[in-house]
Structure formats: structure tokens, C-alpha cells
């Protein structure tokens, strides 16, 4: 996200330079608010509900196996859907939930420590401001007070903002979000010059008129959270500079052209007394010498904008805004970590159904696609797009890869047992694709993978667009609660493409896999399906049942996924699916 944010800052700076002659000072300043908005995107709760991604990530550190440390152990579960011995077994090995890399914790710790350090600095500056407020006295000079009230009328501010004098400032500032106050240095009051004082007061009141106190809070919050990103700090410095230039321009709009020079001279004369304000939530006339030079150049070149220039400026602003906002999805952790499938659900053929009574205490979703009517029925869109480990449902495609590379063939899919003892009797024997799929024999598909090689598997997964396309986990378990993840909607889309033979596989290989996952065939139709169970530390946390149903006049594709701390098995996902399909009068 920060790489993209840094790039966006660069694009914004380039856009400001390109459109410099078209954008007004105020528009250039307002562009920075788009950046502030984009800086919040990584922390926006995914899909605007639930917990922020940062908390979701922290939770995953605690409860999920890492992509490259999950290992199979000898604890297992055998699943037999009740009442039907023809259904395949769903034997699943457990994986260990090992602690994530210490580097992740170290980086998180450094970030949090940095935030606390920044907060301490802000508190320190705020305390100095509080001491200033306590030592300040209400403005007594009658001439300055009369001038101040004239300035309020001139700008059109009806609120009487308190003005104080203090010996602890070198430049005037305005402070406060809900109760703003202006603080004037005593030396400026004692050296009273009406025109200079008027310009200073007008400048401070412009800060109030444009709600710059809010911008100060937002900028400081961004500085605290992104303390580690030097480009963000540079951007915030430029935003503060543009704020002062915009305020100068607002003052110039109120003045006659023949006094622009006087306003510039005020800044030049004032530069000798300027010091940077140590207060984080204050806006003032001061600034460093580089900023002063920029402001004086702006004053010297200022011309009141014509109608055509305003139109050009608005067009340039809108173009830049659209460009910047277009990057929002790329800096969202929701998109960046690939935890959700970016699916266009705006189509009219998508209906949302509430099937929560079938799921009970499980979190999860049910997705059904009606091929004949080109219609989707979805329960819980949040989970329907959530990518989780496919577990044994991945074997459908792993088998296809092996068939395509002729490691196994439809006529000869035999692989000899290596003699290693496994916790399931059905695994301790020679296997064919049919028996290996029926008993979900891990070693059979691991043997296929070894002969395929990681490069081949990666190419195939990328070619068919399987979920997040990530096989960086341990090569023997990358699909078992590890790096490879897929959403229920993607499962259904892949099955649809498989049925339509749009994945580019040989028809005989597709038929071989379909035969291997055929659960029932009768006059009512043919039912294909594959279960999957994810076990972590001996607990069933992720249950799948995916497949398709061919009837005489239609084909339905489905995917059910359930999740829980325990009890989330492929068997339970199957029972939920069969109940739903039965009540929908799709399959009895």
C-alpha cells in the first residue's frame, strides 16, 4: 500500500506542476485533501462492515497457519455423510498453526512504537500551546480591536473570535477547532502599523473561514500514522505550504490591485521576525524562508482569474481528482492482500437469499448458478467473495493438471502405494484417480504434484485463474489451510467454465475428472461433487462442498463453505447443501 501511496504522491506532484498555470492556489491546496482521503483507504473496514483490515490481519497472525510453515501431522478425520454409503469419504489431515515470522511482529512493534513516539511529541507541543493560552491576555489595544472588528465585517464572519496578546510568539496564529482563538505577538502590537496588522488579521481570519483547523488535525493524524514514510511527510509539508499560499490568494482577492505590493512587503518585512510554530494544530502567517519566497512570488504574479481560467482550472482539478481516486482500490488492503474476490455483483441476474437458518452457528455462504436462466442465488455476499483455503476441493483441478501432462491418463491413472502408513486404511493401498478422489488420498495428489513440478502447477493455476494463484506455501500442503485460497463464487465460476470446456483442457480429461467426482446418477440426473475439510491443530475450521447437478433440462453449479473454531467439516457443508437444494426443489 505504501508503495502505491508513494507513487500517488509523485503523480500528484507531477499533475500540480503540469496544471500549475490552470489550477488556482485554492485548487492546488484542495487536491491534497484527496491524498488525505486516500491515506485512510488501507484502514477502511473491508466492504464497509466488520473490523478494519488491520485487526483482521492481527487476528490471522494469532489463528491461521502461515503459508510456508503448515505441515501435515498424523491426526485426521474421516467423514461419511449419513444415510448414503455411495458418497465419497472426506478424509482430512490436520496442519499445525505455527507462529508467523518474527519479522512481522518486529515490524508491527516498530510501527506501534513510532506512533506512540509521535503521539508524545504531539502531546508535548499541545502542552506548550496550553501554557501559551494560560499566559496570554485578552487584546487591550483599542486601535487593534477596532481594526479587528472591521476585518471581521470585511470577510463576512459573524462570529466574534477572541483575540489575545502574548510575549511567547513571533508570528500570529489561529488555534482551535470548536473554540478558535487568535494570538498576536506583543511586539507586533507595540510596533503597530495599521496596514500590516490588517493584512495579518485578514490572513488569520481566512484560515478560520476555510476551516484550516480541521485540515491541521487531519495532517497531524496522517503524520502520526505514516511517520515512517518520508514521502508522506514531504507531501504534508507541501500541503502546509499550499495552505498558506491559498490563504494569501484569498486575501489578495479582497484587496485592490494597487495594494498587492504592500501585502508582499508585509511578508518581506515580517520574514525577519518569523519562526516556525511549534504547535501542531495552529495555522499562522509564519513559515520558513523557502516558503516565504514562494508566497512572495505568488503575490507578485497574482492576477484575478478570468471566467475562462476558472473553467480550465476546474477541468484540470476534476481530471487530477479522477486520476487519483482511480488508485483507491490499489491501496486498499482489502484488494492488496487478495482476501476477497473482486466480483461485479451489479448484474440484474443476481439474487440474494437469506439461508442463515441452514447454517446455524457456522459462518459461511451458499452460491448457486442456474445455467439455463443465467441466474445467481447467493447467501452472504461477504463470505461468498471471501477467499479461504480450498483444501480437498482443489484436487479436481490438480487431477486435471496431471491428466493434461499425461502423468496419469483416463485409461491408466494407477499410482502405487509407497508403503508409508497413513491414518486411514483406504490410503494404505495402490490408488487410481477414482479411488484417490473417492477417499481424498493426499499422497496420490502429492505424487502428481511432484511429477508436475511447481513451475507447471503455477502456470496452470494462473492460466485458469484459480483464486489468489498463490502456491508459495509448503509444496505438499499449499492447498491445505496454507497459501492457496479461493472464494465460493470463484469455485462456481470455475466449475461453469469446466463444464463448458472453456478452460482449454482435453474433453476426455474433463470427463475423467467428472467421472471421479460423480456421486450419484439416475433418471433424475447426475450429481457431481467434492468435499473439503480444513483442520488446524486438530480442529475442523473450514468445510467445503462444491459441484454441479445435471438434470434433463438444466445444469446447476453450487459451492457451500462454512467456517468455525471447530466442527466446520465437508460433511456438515454437504448436509447444509443437500437441505438447501431439496427445499429449492432442485434435488431430492
Amino acid at each position: 500500500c505504501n508503495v502505491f501511496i508513494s507513487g500517488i504522491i509523485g503523480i500528484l506532484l507531477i499533475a500540480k506542476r503540469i496544471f500549475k498555470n490552470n489550477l488556482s492556489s485554492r485548487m492546488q491546496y484542495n487536491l491534497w485533501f484527496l491524498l488525505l482521503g486516500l491515506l485512510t483507504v488501507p484502514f477502511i473496514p473491508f466492504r464497509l462492515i466488520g473490523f478494519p483490515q488491520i485487526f483482521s490481519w492481527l487476528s490471522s497472525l494469532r489463528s491461521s497457519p502461515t503459508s510456508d510453515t503448515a505441515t501435515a501431522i498424523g491426526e485426521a478425520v474421516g467423514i461419511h455423510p449419513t444415510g448414503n454409503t455411495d458418497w465419497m469419504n472426506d478424509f482430512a489431515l490436520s496442519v499445525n498453526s505455527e507462529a508467523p515470522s518474527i519479522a512481522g511482529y518486529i515490524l508491527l512493534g516498530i510501527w506501534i512504537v513510532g506512533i506512540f513516539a509521535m503521539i508524545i511529541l504531539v502531546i508535548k507541543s499541545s502542552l506548550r500551546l496550553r501554557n501559551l493560552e494560560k499566559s496570554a491576555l485578552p487584546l487591550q489595544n483599542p486601535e487593534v480591536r477596532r481594526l479587528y472588528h472591521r476585518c471581521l465585517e470585511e470577510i463576512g464572519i459573524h462570529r466574534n473570535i477572541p483575540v489575545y496578546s502574548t510575549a511567547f510568539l513571533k508570528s500570529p496564529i489561529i488555534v482551535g477547532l470548536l473554540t478558535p482563538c487568535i494570538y498576536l505577538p506583543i511586539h507586533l502590537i507595540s510596533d503597530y502599523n495599521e496596514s500590516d496588522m490588517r493584512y495579518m488579521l485578514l490572513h488569520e481570519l481566512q484560515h478560520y473561514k476555510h476551516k484550516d483547523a480541521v485540515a491541521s488535525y487531519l495532517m497531524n493524524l496522517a503524520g502520526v500514522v505514516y511517520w515512517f514514510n518520508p514521502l508522506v511527510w514531504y507531501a504534508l509539508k507541501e500541503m502546509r505550504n499550499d495552505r498558506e499560499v491559498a490563504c494569501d490568494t484569498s486575501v489578495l482577492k479582497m484587496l485592490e490591485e494597487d495594494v498587492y505590493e504592500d501585502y508582499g512587503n508585509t511578508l518581506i518585512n515580517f520574514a525577519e521576525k518569523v519562526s516556525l510554530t511549534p504547535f501542531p494544530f495552529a495555522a499562522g502567517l509564519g513559515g520558513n524562508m523557502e516558503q516565504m519566497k514562494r508566497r512572495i512570488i505568488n503575490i507578485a504574479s497574482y492576477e484575478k482569474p478570468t471566467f475562462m481560467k476558472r473553467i480550465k482550472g476546474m477541468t484540470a482539478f476534476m481530471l487530477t481528482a479522477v486520476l487519483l481516486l482511480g488508485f483507491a482500490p490499489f491501496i486498499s488492503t482489502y484488494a492488496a492482500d487478495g482476501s476477497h474476490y473482486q466480483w461485479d455483483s451489479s448484474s440484474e441476474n443476481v439474487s440474494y437469499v437469506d439461508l442463515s437458518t441452514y447454517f446455524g452457528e457456522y459462518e459461511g455462504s451458499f452460491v448457486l448458478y442456474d445455467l439455463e436462466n443465467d441466474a445467481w442465488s447467493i447467501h452472504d455476499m461477504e463470505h461468498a467473495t471471501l477467499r479461504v483455503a480450498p483444501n480437498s476441493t482443489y484436487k479436481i483441478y490438480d487431477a486435471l493438471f496431471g491428466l493434461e501432462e499425461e502423468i496419469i491418463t483416463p485409461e491408466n491413472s494407477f499410482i502405487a502405494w509407497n508403503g508409508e502408513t497413513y491414518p486411514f486404511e483406504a490410503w494404505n493401498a495402490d490408488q487410481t484417480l477414482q479411488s484417490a478422489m473417492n477417499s481424498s488420498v493426499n499422497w496420490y495428489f502429492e505424487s502428481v504434484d511432484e511429477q508436475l513440478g511447481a513451475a507447471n502447477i503455477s502456470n496452470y493455476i494462473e492460466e485458469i485463474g484459480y483464486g489468489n494463484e498463490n502456491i508459495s506455501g509448503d509444496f505438499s500442503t499449499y492447498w491445505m489451510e496454507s497459501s492457496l485460497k479461493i472464494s465460493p463464487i470463484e469455485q462456481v465460476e470455475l466449475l461453469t467454465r469446466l463444464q463448458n470446456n472453456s478452460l482449454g483442457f482435453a474433453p476426455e480429461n474433463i470427463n475423467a475428472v467428472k467421472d471421479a467426482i460423480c456421486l450419484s446418477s439416475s433418471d433424475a440426473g447426475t450429481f457431481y461433487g467434492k468435499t473439503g475439510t480444513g483442520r488446524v491443530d486438530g480442529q475442523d475450521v473450514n468445510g467445503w462442498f462444491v459441484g454441479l447437478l445435471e438434470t434433463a433440462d438444466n445444469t446447476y453449479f453450487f459451492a457451500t463453505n462454512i467456517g468455525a473454531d471447530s466442527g466446520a467439516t465437508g460433511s456438515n457443508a454437504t448436509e447444509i447443501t443437500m437441505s438447501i437444494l431439496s427445499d429449492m426443489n432442485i434435488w431430492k
Side-chain angles (χ1 to χ4, degrees), residues 3-305:
V3 170
F4 275 107
I5 286 170
S6 299
I8 289 169
I9 292 171
I11 291 171
L12 177 55
L13 292 171
I14 292 171
K16 284 174 83 269
R17 180 174 291 274
I18 292 173
F19 296 124
K20 181 179 180 180
N21 295 328
N22 300 112
L23 290 169
S24 68
S25 299
R26 182 61 58 182
M27 286 180 178
Q28 292 190 50
Y29 171 55
N30 288 339
L31 280 175
W32 291 112
F33 286 96
L34 296 176
L35 177 64
L36 290 180
L38 291 173
L39 291 178
T40 68
V41 170
F43 300 93
I44 294 176
F46 59 89
R47 294 195 174 266
L48 303 181
I49 62 173
F51 294 100
Q53 279 290 350
I54 184 68
F55 297 121
S56 178
W57 179 71
L58 289 174
S59 175
S60 71
L61 287 182
R62 176 180 56 81
S63 61
S64 299
T66 56
S67 63
D68 55 0
T69 60
T71 55
I73 61 175
E75 187 174 358
V77 60
I79 300 168
H80 302 268
T82 57
N84 192 340
T85 57
D86 294 332
W87 289 67
M88 69 176 62
N89 302 308
D90 188 17
F91 297 119
L93 290 177
S94 179
V95 295
N96 290 326
S97 175
E98 299 184 5
S101 169
I102 191 65
Y105 284 122
I106 292 174
L107 291 173
L108 176 64
I110 292 173
W111 179 54
I112 292 175
V113 169
I115 287 178
F116 276 113
M118 293 299 299
I119 291 174
I120 290 172
L121 291 176
V122 170
I123 292 173
K124 183 179 178 181
S125 296
S126 299
L127 291 175
R128 293 180 65 183
L129 178 60
R130 183 60 60 89
N131 291 333
L132 169 70
E133 292 171 344
K134 289 180 179 179
S135 66
L137 297 173
L139 179 65
Q140 301 296 324
N141 188 299
E143 290 182 279
V144 177
R145 291 191 66 83
R146 284 194 295 270
L147 177 62
Y148 170 63
H149 286 292
R150 289 202 303 272
C151 291
L152 285 174
E153 294 177 6
E154 195 173 351
I155 292 183
I157 296 175
H158 303 292
R159 180 174 182 173
N160 189 19
I161 303 169
V163 182
Y164 296 89
S165 60
T166 176
F168 297 99
L169 280 178
K170 293 185 179 180
S171 60
I173 60 171
I174 182 168
V175 179
L177 184 62
L178 300 177
T179 56
C181 301
I182 294 176
Y183 294 89
L184 297 175
I186 287 178
H187 70 84
L188 291 179
I189 299 173
S190 59
D191 298 338
Y192 177 70
N193 177 286
E194 182 175 345
S195 62
D196 286 351
M197 183 62 73
R198 175 176 173 245
Y199 298 145
M200 293 177 191
L201 289 172
L202 287 175
H203 185 95
E204 299 308 317
L205 291 173
Q206 287 291 349
H207 280 303
Y208 169 78
K209 184 178 180 179
H210 291 95
K211 310 300 180 187
D212 285 339
V214 176
S216 293
Y217 278 86
L218 294 176
M219 282 188 280
N220 282 285
L221 178 61
V224 168
V225 175
Y226 286 90
W227 61 266
F228 56 88
N229 191 323
L231 280 176
V232 171
W233 275 79
Y234 178 79
L236 295 176
K237 186 190 81 168
E238 287 297 298
M239 184 175 180
R240 292 185 179 93
N241 291 344
D242 283 349
R243 178 184 64 186
E244 297 307 316
V245 171
C247 260
D248 288 337
T249 302
S250 296
V251 173
L252 292 174
K253 287 181 179 179
M254 301 175 58
L255 304 177
E256 296 297 329
E257 190 173 345
D258 57 358
V259 297
Y260 291 174
E261 186 178 341
D262 291 341
Y263 183 72
N265 285 330
T266 297
L267 283 185
I268 293 172
N269 295 332
F270 186 68
E272 297 177 359
K273 305 163 185 168
V274 155
S275 66
L276 291 174
T277 174
F279 309 123
F281 306 114
L285 185 69
N288 58 32
M289 295 307 297
E290 180 184 347
Q291 181 182 336
M292 279 293 193
K293 178 182 177 182
R294 180 177 169 187
R295 291 168 63 185
I296 290 167
I297 292 173
N298 175 69
I299 294 168
S301 60
Y302 177 74
E303 294 178 357
K304 289 187 177 179

Side-chain angles (χ1 to χ4, degrees), residues 455-473:
N456 250 346
I457 295 172
S458 181
N459 289 337
Y460 273 117
I461 283 179
E462 185 178 342
E463 184 179 333
I464 69 173
Y466 193 93
N468 65 354
E469 304 176 10
N470 185 350
I471 64 167
S472 62

